[in-house]
Amino acid sequence: MNQRLLRRSLRFASFAPRNDNDYMIILGIETSCDETAAAVVRGNSEKVEVLSNVVASQIEIHQKYGGVVPEVAAREHVLNILPVVNEALEKAGIKIPLTPFDKGGKKIDAIAVTIGPGLVTSLLVGVETAKTLAYAWKKPVVAVNHIEGHIYANFIRNDKCQMTNVKNNIKFPALILTVSGGHTMLVLMTGHGEYKVLGETRDDAAGEAFDKAAQLLNIGYPGGPAIAAYAAKLKVKSKKLKVSLPRPMLNSSDFDFSFSGLKTALLYAIQKDKQWKKKIPGYAAEFQAAAVEVLVHKTIKAALTYKAKNIMLSGGVAANTELRGQLEAAVKNKLSGAKLSIPEFKYCTDNAAMIAAAGYFMAKRKKFTPWQKLKADANLELTN
Ligand code: KG4
Ligand code: ZN
């Protein structure tokens, strides 16, 4: 090889080992509910680094209805998706328009997209966008389960977060408490892409329960952050505000949950209490305490039963400070040797970095789907 060619090939080789499956740049797309999101991550070995993470939230639009209106969400996704993808690529330093014929520089190796579970009209926007980009750019696609995405938020490099004392070196078996607006599950993860659902909610999801409780107390949407904010106010108020709510299924022999009874108990309590409007912080704190106690108790029980080496928290409700704190204390006190991992706040609620992270580990295992076969599935289950 002549010297000029050798120098040139070395320059490119040092930029990116293109044939190495352990080093990949993934574009993630997420539109399963009311956030239009795109992100670019670089995976290397067991770690994922976020190069860009863009989320266009529709919260303000849905707030006046007290919940997500599917048709409105889908229409907003259509308006937002291309600007959001463009911004994610630009922020990651990827030149656009991308062509199928990359000429050096940072490249996208694969596109990861959420195919379900979620609102089908919302999912379709992300799925069709991923199909189109895959065809135009000649890139492979990985079809990601939204819940798996939440789990993989724990694999995003997070050196700053105090909670993530494992610095992302996750050991298996890992036990995941995954809690969001749409699902509540305890999952045993025995390896990448290997899951066993140990228990789930029999009725409302944890986030859904927070949202409904906030609606009953008339403190706004989304309910999780509103309940948490009111509960925090209790600390500086009189203890007389204290009220008592049940801990549903706390001592049941399985790993299931139930939250609709807790919400109904709150409804009956405020119906009986003429002064309830003056006690909102007390009701919010008690509701949060009841939900957190059950979630933490069952997580520890499952971790002990299955000898989990790593405990992970994921999903929108993982942003709850009380839950993060209580779980951290319980892991420290009751699970000797097990490590806890909690994603940074911005990777708890819906985002595309987590989808790209899950996509990276799938791409490593060559779990690609031909774009022609990519399909949204509103009821997609978490399977191996
Ligand atoms: O994961 P996510 O963004 O969307 C779904 O996949 O559902 O989760 C949204 C849910 C909402 O129900 C919201 O109320 C809840 O997460 N949430 C919280 C907090 N932040 C968001 N719940 C409790 N405390 C919070 N700080
Ligand atoms: Zn979610």
Side-chain angles (χ1 to χ4, degrees):
M1 192 187 285
N2 78 28
Q3 283 305 304
R4 222 186 88 242
L5 267 179
L6 181 66
R7 268 203 313 276
R8 197 164 163 247
S9 64
L10 283 176
R11 199 173 70 225
F12 284 115
S14 66
F15 180 74
R18 305 311 308 173
N19 295 324
D20 182 354
N21 267 342
D22 270 3
Y23 181 107
M24 272 183 265
I25 295 186
I26 312 282
L27 167 67
I29 296 176
E30 153 66 39
T31 62
S32 68
C33 191
D34 60 340
E35 322 278 9
T36 318
V40 178
V41 307
R42 175 165 42 205
N44 193 357
S45 182
E46 290 291 296
K47 296 219 170 85
V48 174
E49 184 189 348
V50 177
L51 303 182
S52 67
N53 181 39
V54 181
V55 181
S57 173
Q58 303 177 12
I59 282 181
E60 274 180 25
I61 296 168
H62 299 284
Q63 231 153 20
K64 54 180 173 285
Y65 307 107
V68 178
V69 184
E71 277 66 30
V72 175
R75 238 176 295 152
E76 286 299 311
H77 284 312
V78 172
L79 295 174
N80 293 337
I81 189 72
L82 291 181
V84 165
V85 168
N86 274 344
E87 193 180 331
L89 291 172
E90 261 168 30
K91 283 190 168 153
I94 289 164
K95 285 204 192 84
I96 41 176
L98 225 68
T99 71
F101 314 105
D102 297 320
K103 294 192 195 81
K106 271 191 209 147
K107 300 169 195 168
I108 296 290
D109 292 295
I111 299 167
V113 62
T114 307
I115 58 157
L119 301 170
V120 76
T121 42
S122 288
L123 288 163
L124 276 170
V125 179
V127 167
E128 292 307 313
T129 305
K131 275 184 181 180
T132 311
L133 296 179
Y135 171 74
W137 297 343
K138 309 267 180 286
K139 298 291 176 193
V141 187
V142 266
V144 178
N145 181 309
H146 182 77
I147 299 169
E148 192 168 8
H150 275 302
I151 292 172
Y152 271 92
N154 283 283
F155 288 81
I156 294 174
R157 199 166 83 184
N158 183 359
D159 296 332
K160 273 179 261 155
C161 183
Q162 298 301 311
M163 296 272 195
T164 313
N165 47 13
V166 289
K167 296 242 162 65
N168 300 114
N169 290 324
I170 307 271
K171 291 206 175 82
F172 300 114
L175 193 274
I176 304 123
L177 171 65
T178 177
V179 270
S180 80
H183 60 270
T184 297
M185 279 180 187
L186 275 169
V187 178
L188 188 71
M189 187 176 181
T190 46
H192 288 294
E194 291 166 23
Y195 310 104
K196 185 178 177 198
V197 178
L198 304 177
E200 52 195 321
T201 181
R202 295 188 182 176
D203 38 58
D204 293 351
E208 186 182 359
F210 271 89
D211 292 338
K212 287 178 175 170
Q215 208 168 19
L216 291 175
L217 297 173
N218 202 17
I219 54 175
Y221 170 86
I227 294 271
Y230 271 90
K233 289 185 192 175
L234 185 69
K235 291 190 183 126
V236 291
K237 294 208 170 167
S238 147
K239 286 205 166 168
K240 275 189 225 148
L241 287 171
K242 272 224 157 190
V243 288
S244 178
L245 292 172
R247 270 66 176 153
M249 295 185 72
L250 182 68
N251 294 313
S252 70
S253 57
D254 51 27
F255 298 114
D256 283 347
F257 301 95
S258 166
F259 291 105
S260 86
L262 178 58
K263 167 202 68 191
T264 310
L266 174 65
L267 172 68
Y268 290 158
I270 62 173
Q271 275 177 345
K272 267 195 256 155
D273 182 357
K274 288 200 174 66
Q275 301 290 312
W276 73 268
K277 284 188 183 161
K278 291 185 188 149
K279 302 182 196 166
I280 292 176
Y283 281 106
E286 176 60 8
F287 181 88
Q288 177 174 266
V292 167
E293 188 176 334
V294 181
L295 291 170
V296 171
H297 179 82
K298 290 255 162 118
T299 305
I300 299 296
K301 191 173 125 180
L304 285 168
T305 308
Y306 289 90
K307 300 187 172 47
K309 292 186 179 143
N310 218 126
I311 318 302
M312 297 189 227
L313 187 55
S314 75
V317 183
N320 186 279
T321 320
E322 188 66 21
L323 176 60
R324 294 163 86 98
Q326 295 276 346
L327 189 60
E328 194 189 17
V331 169
K332 207 181 270 174
N333 296 334
K334 296 184 181 154
L335 300 176
S336 67
K339 307 272 189 197
L340 175 66
S341 163
I342 302 181
E344 274 182 70
F345 285 108
K346 63 181 170 209
Y347 303 128
C348 288
T349 45
D350 288 351
N351 65 88
M354 67 184 197
I355 302 302
Y360 162 67
F361 285 96
M362 289 174 80
K364 258 174 79 154
R365 304 197 303 281
K366 303 208 172 357
K367 294 203 94 184
F368 297 112
T369 303
W371 66 262
Q372 297 89 336
K373 293 203 172 151
L374 212 58
K375 246 178 111 180
D377 180 353
N379 302 312
L380 188 68
E381 304 231 339
L382 185 67
T383 49
N384 296 336

